[in-house]
Amino acid sequence: DAKTTQPTSMDCAEGRAANLPCNHSTISGNEYVYWYRQIHSQGPQYIIHGLKNNETNEMASLIITEDRKSSTLILPHATLRDTAVYYCIVKGYSTLTFGKGTMLLVSP
Amino acid sequence: DTEVTQTPKHLVMGMTNKKSLKCEQHMGHRAMYWYKQKAKKPPELMFVYSYEKLSINESVPSRFSPECPNSSLLNLHLHALQPEDSALYLCASSQDAVNYGYTFGSGTRLTVV
């Protein structure tokens, strides 16, 4: 599977949009972009995934560039409960492999 | 039911003990997974079961022994563990082992003393 690159940490003010970037320049045509998050000492939680079109659900939006080499996860109105490690994972016909992720800290 | 349930939530065991971790899902998923997560590190895959058969063992020491009694249950039997095996053990499931994302349980926090 293609590797991903994410910033180590990001800060966001409560109520503002959090935009988390991910680079995956070696992604293949059959590989999806998945986003998970992990709140301290809990299991990873699925957020959203996409292939090439932008996706939105009740939690977040996923914007994938036209060349598919990068994506952005958007939390439209961040709350304190969104403080977590966010993992961007590229997955094809294989297992889910976690990188180091981005630690998002939402502050009042 | 859209959950993966893991028991116990916390476990403390001695190095000579034998214990088991349990994982259960009722979503009809046919693939189940064990991950290990050390503090401040990402989860690492240990085992994959697909249609109740072990399909991947990521070179895990034999003191960890997985078992899949049926399509809803996954166990991890522990024997003669070391203190460095202390970690959060996560179970996950998916519709199959190839095409879908995973649903994770909340984990078992294991401490080996």
Side-chain angles (χ1 to χ4, degrees):
Chain A
D1 288 326
K3 288 194 171 182
T4 62
T5 304
Q6 298 179 253
T8 302
S9 63
M10 294 183 66
D11 294 326
C12 180
E14 189 178 21
R16 304 297 293 269
N19 297 286
L20 291 90
C22 179
N23 287 323
H24 31 79
S25 58
T26 61
I27 192 169
S28 299
N30 66 346
E31 292 179 320
Y32 284 77
V33 179
Y34 280 81
W35 283 84
Y36 281 76
R37 74 180 182 184
Q38 188 173 24
I39 296 169
H40 181 61
S41 292
Q42 298 183 19
Q45 177 189 23
Y46 166 82
I47 301 173
I48 199 166
H49 75 284
L51 185 62
K52 54 183 178 181
N53 296 324
N54 297 338
E55 302 287 345
T56 296
N57 63 22
E58 64 278 4
M59 287 183 68
S61 295
L62 174 60
I63 309 298
I64 302 174
T65 58
E66 193 168 341
D67 63 7
R68 301 211 323 125
K69 293 185 177 182
S70 66
S71 60
T72 301
L73 178 74
I74 301 172
L75 307 179
H77 305 286
T79 71
L80 300 180
R81 288 176 293 181
D82 292 322
T83 291
V85 178
Y86 287 76
Y87 296 102
C88 169
I89 303 169
V90 171
K91 182 183 180 303
Y93 303 125
S94 62
T95 56
L96 208 63
T97 302
F98 290 82
K100 296 180 180 180
T102 296
M103 175 66 218
L104 175 68
L105 177 62
V106 181
S107 302
Chain B
D1 188 353
T2 58
E3 290 187 345
V4 173
T5 302
Q6 291 189 243
T7 55
K9 292 195 182 303
H10 301 274
L11 178 63
V12 178
M13 63 183 290
M15 289 187 285
T16 58
N17 291 159
K18 288 184 180 181
K19 296 287 186 182
S20 296
L21 309 184
K22 296 184 183 302
C23 175
E24 190 168 4
Q25 58 88 15
H26 296 288
M27 295 177 281
H29 289 176
R30 302 312 301 267
M32 297 186 76
Y33 312 83
W34 282 114
Y35 282 79
K36 174 181 178 179
Q37 186 174 25
K38 300 283 282 184
K40 299 188 186 300
K41 298 290 187 182
E44 294 181 343
L45 183 67
M46 299 175 72
F47 302 104
V48 178
Y49 272 84
S50 179
Y51 290 86
E52 300 161 46
K53 294 189 187 304
L54 182 64
S55 61
I56 295 177
N57 175 342
E58 293 287 359
S59 303
V60 179
S62 60
R63 58 185 184 270
F64 295 91
S65 176
E67 178 196 22
C68 190
N70 60 57
S71 60
S72 299
L73 295 174
L74 186 65
N75 298 321
L76 186 62
H77 303 297
L78 314 172
H79 173 57
L81 294 193
Q82 303 297 310
E84 57 265 29
D85 296 321
S86 298
L88 181 67
Y89 288 84
L90 295 160
C91 175
S93 70
S94 62
Q95 290 189 42
D96 66 35
V98 175
N99 293 307
Y100 297 92
Y102 302 178
T103 301
F104 284 83
S106 56
T108 293
R109 174 71 61 188
L110 174 68
T111 303
V112 182
V113 297

